[in-house]
Amino acid sequence: MTGLDEERFPLRSRLLANPELKRRYLHYVKLIADEYLDWEYLGPKVAAARQLIQDEVKADTRKLMTYEDFQSATGYKQGVLREFCDERSKYLLGLPTIKELPAK
């Protein structure tokens, strides 16, 4: 929980100063990291989205990456998205404020 006193985010600072709201927020972070960033849950959604847009990505003449890069990034067994999800989940679940939460 860094930057809680940032003047640029006064609402966040005030909300998370409330112990009950902070507890609920941290439980949601844990839920997201534990369940929704799990590739067993997210992987099929990425695969479905990839299937849906791949022809448009291939035809796009102004894309920021090649079609092959798109395929590689959105791969089911490996890819940038899966790597990000795995690493982000591991990081979040390893935070002391998340680890010390009781099971819900």
Side-chain angles (χ1 to χ4, degrees), residues 11 27 31 33 35 41 43 49 67 69 72 82 84 97 100:
L11 180 60
H27 273 285
L31 174 71
E35 294 183 23
Y41 170 81
Y67 178 69
D69 289 341
S72 176
R82 180 173 186 166
F84 171 80
T97 53
E100 66 190 26

Side-chain angles (χ1 to χ4, degrees), residues 30-41:
K30 185 175 185 176
L31 174 71
I32 290 166
D34 196 32
E35 294 183 23
Y36 296 107
L37 286 177
D38 183 341
W39 199 248
E40 293 298 315
Y41 170 81

Side-chain angles (χ1 to χ4, degrees), residues 6-65:
E6 284 264 347
E7 290 182 14
R8 297 181 324 155
F9 307 108
L11 180 60
R12 180 187 71 178
S13 298
R14 288 184 188 136
L15 288 173
L16 294 179
N18 178 305
E20 175 58 21
L21 293 177
K22 182 177 180 180
R23 183 194 64 75
R24 286 174 53 194
Y25 171 79
L26 292 173
H27 273 285
Y28 284 126
V29 170
K30 185 175 185 176
L31 174 71
I32 290 166
D34 196 32
E35 294 183 23
Y36 296 107
L37 286 177
D38 183 341
W39 199 248
E40 293 298 315
Y41 170 81
L42 195 57
K45 293 175 182 355
V46 170
R50 175 185 177 176
Q51 182 70 30
L52 186 67
I53 67 170
Q54 68 184 355
D55 291 340
E56 296 300 320
V57 171
K58 193 173 196 175
D60 185 0
T61 60
R62 295 178 175 221
K63 56 187 165 264
L64 298 176
M65 65 172 69

Side-chain angles (χ1 to χ4, degrees), residues 58-104:
K58 193 173 196 175
D60 185 0
T61 60
R62 295 178 175 221
K63 56 187 165 264
L64 298 176
M65 65 172 69
T66 67
Y67 178 69
E68 291 74 22
D69 289 341
F70 165 76
Q71 287 181 309
S72 176
T74 58
Y76 189 79
K77 293 198 181 279
Q78 63 183 18
V80 176
L81 288 176
R82 180 173 186 166
E83 185 178 317
F84 171 80
C85 290
D86 292 345
E87 291 299 315
R88 189 63 177 169
S89 177
K90 181 180 171 184
Y91 169 77
L92 291 171
L93 292 173
L95 291 173
T97 53
I98 301 296
K99 285 171 72 171
E100 66 190 26
L101 290 174
K104 208 170 187 183

